[in-house]
């Protein structure tokens, strides 16, 4: 029979590579009484069938920093734990077929270089020298990262699990978390059920949701919103190809494809523009399972790949694989302290880059849990950026059709999502549309980003150069600078802080001086214990005992939660009135 402790400092739910990484990093920080529960067997959800690509080139500086850490960790993990991770620094090439893609990858390379990543811009002939099997027709340029690699996803997770055990963590398979006990804004413990019939309860100080595609369900158990949806992800593995030797990982995002040589075989995977959502109601016995084949869906990718890598035309297909992976509404994973609770943490929704992200994400979350503050700016992935409506199943199903493909889409500035739009509209929405407004989306809000002229199509024409709205926006700026203008600010967060201690509380939580006359506006920041910036706000003193805090639409939830978490014994009432007021700004 399974026996588990009745008390722990932290319970981690989920034994994929992310859960194992969080356990590993907490244990390395000296945490004891770390318990990880896995419903079936470690890696049996998504981790086991991941492609195992470990890259450092990401879309933002902090995500590059985390990916770089993962690569460095995996390079040393095998020596530390004795578990063969299969990690090899084979290098990687990303090839551009268009001038737009060339611009994007060169910009990413410049940013990565600033963070100490070894990266090299290369010509088509240099790509051919490093990847001799490639058809170079249409290839304009590429970037090469010598320290990128590939590894065995399952064994990387098992190595992290062993490292966690070596430092005192308890990792228990075949035990499912079936319920969470809650008191106020805290989880007090986890109910569990083992496959051998044993059951029990673990009282704990913290819980971490690392449940992968089950993360939405585990979140609901705690009353926490974790927006993600599983999509079907396809790849093929060829039969052994004579004479095939180790080559860099190759990505051709303009053809939605990636290639990996492994043991004399080729793996071809795809991030197609319109994906196939799977289900949020995952079968109870799911373990190391595959989804049904859909060759018609994959065939366009394969046809382009055969042209790009002609050896595929001669190689037999050994495996046609389809497995589920979870995707979030904005293609960034979820990390951090859940807004709804004060001790429930989240690390899931890794958008098919879980292996390359796990090391950095686990390290960052462990530091955050240990110290109580973010180790650096994690706004790109902080779970508090998600809005309550984004947990809706219909919304997630529609948005996930797009998000898988966005991994390999051109990541133009101001790129707008196409699916699941029109969720939140201001009272002035139709008036703006009638006047030529071109809408963008932020936190679900439809907002007028710019106005088309009469003969101009009211839509974006994306580019890395000046886009089609440049002159329009210039005219709008000049109209306000030289005359008067009006725009819709209804989507901005509006939070009232009222009560006897309103002034003292605002002076405590904010960096500005709020002891001002009624009607006075103070622009400032909310600061954490280290003096780091948590929010950028505009505060108006309404009366002796009331203030209006105006926040960006995207951080409304996070900023409101920050106020509530720091309320302490101050006698104030904090009320989100965003949806109750339309706002027109005259400038």
């Amino acid at each position: 029979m399974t026996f588990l402790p009745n008390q722990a400092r932290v319970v981690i739910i989920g034994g994929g590579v992310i859960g194992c990484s969080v356990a590993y990093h907490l244990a390395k920080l000296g945490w004891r009484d770390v318990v990880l529960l896995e419903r079936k067997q470690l890696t049996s959800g998504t981790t086991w069938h991941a492609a195992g690509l470990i890259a450092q080139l990401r879309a933002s500086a902090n995500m590059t920093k985390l990916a770089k850490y993962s690569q460095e960790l995996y390079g040393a993990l095998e020596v530390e734990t004795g578990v063969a991770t299969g990690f090899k620094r084979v290098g990687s090439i990303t090839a551009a077929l268009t001038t737009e893609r060339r611009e994007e990858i060169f910009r990413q390379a410049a940013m990565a270089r600033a963070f100490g990543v070894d990266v090299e811009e290369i010509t088509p002939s240099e790509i051919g020298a490093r990847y001799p099997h490639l058809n170079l027709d249409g290839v304009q340029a590429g970037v090469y990262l010598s320290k990128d690699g590939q590894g065995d996803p399952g064994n990387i997770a098992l190595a992290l699990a062993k490292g966690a055990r070596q430092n005192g963590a308890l990792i228990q398979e075949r035990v499912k978390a079936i319920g969470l006990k809650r008191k106020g804004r805290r989880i007090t413990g986890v109910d569990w059920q083992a496959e051998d019939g044993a059951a029990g309860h673990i009282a704990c100080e913290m819980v971490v949701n690392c449940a992968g595609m089950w993360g939405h369900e585990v979140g609901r158990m705690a009353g926490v919103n974790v927006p993600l949806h599983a999509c079907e992800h396809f790849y093929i593995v060829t039969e052994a190809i004579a004479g095939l030797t180790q080559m860099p990982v190759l990505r051709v995002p303009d053809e939605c494809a990636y290639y990996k040589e492994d043991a004399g075989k080729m793996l071809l995977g795809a991030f197609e523009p319109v994906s196939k959502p799977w289900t949020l109601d995952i079968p109870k016995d799911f373990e190391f399972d595959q989804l049904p084949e859909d060759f018609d869906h994959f065939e366009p990718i394969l046809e382009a790949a055969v042209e790009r890598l002609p050896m595929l035309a001669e190689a037999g297909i050994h495996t046609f694989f389809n497995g589920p992976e979870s995707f979030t509404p904005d293609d960034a994973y979820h990390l951090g302290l859940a807004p709804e609770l004060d001790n429930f943490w989240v690390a899931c929704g890794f958008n098919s880059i879980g292996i390359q992200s796990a090391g950095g994400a686990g390290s960052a979350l462990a530091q955050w849990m240990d110290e109580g503050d973010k180790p650096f700016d994690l706004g790109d992935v902080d779970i508090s950026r998600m809005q309550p409506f984004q947990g809706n199943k219909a919304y997630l199903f529609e948005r996930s059709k797009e998000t898988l493909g966005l991994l390999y889409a051109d990541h133009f500035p101001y790129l707008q999502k196409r699916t699941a739009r029109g969720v939140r509209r201001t009272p002035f929405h139709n008036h703006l549309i009638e006047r030529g407004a071109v809408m963008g989306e932020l936190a679900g809000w439809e907002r007028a980003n710019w106005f088309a002229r009469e003969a101009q199509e009211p839509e974006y024409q994306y580019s890395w150069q000046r886009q089609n709205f440049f002159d329009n926006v210039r005219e709008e700026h000049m109209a306000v600078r030289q005359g008067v203008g009006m725009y819709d600010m209804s989507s901005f967060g509006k939070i009232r802080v009222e009560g006897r201690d309103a002034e003292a509380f605002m002076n405590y939580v904010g960096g500005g001086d709020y002891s001002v006359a009624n009607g006075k506006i103070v622009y400032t920041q909310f600061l954490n214990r280290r003096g780091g910036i948590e929010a950028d706000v505009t505060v108006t003193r309404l009366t002796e005992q009331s203030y209006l805090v105006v926040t960006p639409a995207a951080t409304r939830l996070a900023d409101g939660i920050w106020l509530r978490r720091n309320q302490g014994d101050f006698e104030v009432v904090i009320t989100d009135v965003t949806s109750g007021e339309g706002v027109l700004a005259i400038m």
Side-chain angles (χ1 to χ4, degrees), residues 191-259:
D191 295 327
W192 59 268
Q193 174 78 54
E195 285 190 357
D196 61 13
H201 178 80
I202 304 175
C204 58
E205 298 175 24
M206 299 182 187
V207 172
V208 189
N209 178 1
C210 297
M213 56 187 170
W214 290 271
H216 186 274
E217 175 187 339
V218 171
R220 288 289 175 91
M221 286 165 48
V224 167
N225 180 37
V226 184
L228 55 80
H229 199 291
C231 288
E232 301 183 25
H233 179 52
F234 300 86
Y235 62 74
I236 64 166
V237 180
T238 69
E239 301 283 359
I241 299 174
L244 188 62
T245 57
Q246 185 68 68
M247 292 187 297
V249 171
L250 173 68
R251 296 176 180 85
V252 188
D254 295 304
E255 295 175 341
C256 310
Y258 63 87
Y259 304 82

Side-chain angles (χ1 to χ4, degrees), residues 113-356:
R113 188 176 292 112
F115 280 83
V117 175
D118 294 331
V119 58
E120 181 182 351
E121 294 88 346
I122 56 177
T123 64
S125 61
E126 290 171 321
I127 294 174
R130 288 181 168 93
Y131 215 97
H133 308 284
L134 193 65
N135 173 5
L136 294 173
D137 288 350
V139 175
Q140 295 200 9
V143 294
Y144 175 68
L145 290 90
S146 61
K147 291 184 179 178
D148 275 7
Q150 61 191 53
D152 181 323
N155 276 7
I156 288 173
L158 295 178
L160 289 166
K162 184 175 180 181
R165 289 190 180 103
Q166 288 173 338
N167 287 281
L170 172 63
I171 295 181
Q172 184 64 57
E173 298 176 295
R174 306 289 174 188
V175 173
K176 183 178 182 180
I178 59 171
L180 299 170
K181 293 291 190 293
R182 175 174 174 170
K183 184 177 182 180
R185 288 184 53 86
R186 299 186 68 84
I187 296 296
T188 60
V190 179
D191 295 327
W192 59 268
Q193 174 78 54
E195 285 190 357
D196 61 13
H201 178 80
I202 304 175
C204 58
E205 298 175 24
M206 299 182 187
V207 172
V208 189
N209 178 1
C210 297
M213 56 187 170
W214 290 271
H216 186 274
E217 175 187 339
V218 171
R220 288 289 175 91
M221 286 165 48
V224 167
N225 180 37
V226 184
L228 55 80
H229 199 291
C231 288
E232 301 183 25
H233 179 52
F234 300 86
Y235 62 74
I236 64 166
V237 180
T238 69
E239 301 283 359
I241 299 174
L244 188 62
T245 57
Q246 185 68 68
M247 292 187 297
V249 171
L250 173 68
R251 296 176 180 85
V252 188
D254 295 304
E255 295 175 341
C256 310
Y258 63 87
Y259 304 82
K260 181 184 83 165
E261 184 280 332
D262 195 9
K265 303 175 181 179
M266 286 299 302
L267 181 150
L268 162 67
F271 292 107
E272 65 277 17
V274 180
S275 66
K276 291 186 65 179
W278 189 41
T279 180
L280 282 174
D281 301 314
I282 303 168
K284 294 186 182 301
D285 295 329
F286 190 96
E287 180 183 12
F288 296 115
D289 286 353
Q290 300 185 34
L291 303 182
E293 295 181 1
D294 187 346
F295 192 78
D296 289 342
H297 184 78
F298 188 76
E299 189 173 19
I301 305 295
L302 180 58
E303 287 179 354
V306 168
E307 292 292 323
R308 186 61 55 196
L309 202 66
M311 66 167 60
L312 294 178
E314 307 298 327
I317 296 178
H318 178 272
T319 303
F320 181 24
F321 187 86
N322 179 14
E325 298 193 356
S326 57
F327 286 79
T328 65
D330 61 359
D331 253 355
Y333 53 83
H334 297 324
L335 198 74
L337 188 57
E340 298 88 344
L341 295 169
D342 293 334
N343 66 340
F344 186 90
W345 301 80
V346 179
C348 55
F350 277 79
N351 303 284
S352 203
I353 58 167
I355 305 302
Q356 71 183 44

Side-chain angles (χ1 to χ4, degrees), residues 429-460:
H429 180 85
N430 289 337
H431 300 288
L432 296 170
I433 293 290
E434 289 168 2
R435 285 158 180 79
V438 179
M439 292 295 180
E441 180 212 20
L442 188 70
W445 287 101
E446 296 293 324
R447 312 204 304 182
N449 283 358
W450 55 280
F451 288 81
R453 302 185 185 100
E454 282 191 21
Q456 185 180 12
E457 285 295 321
E459 61 184 28
Y460 279 91

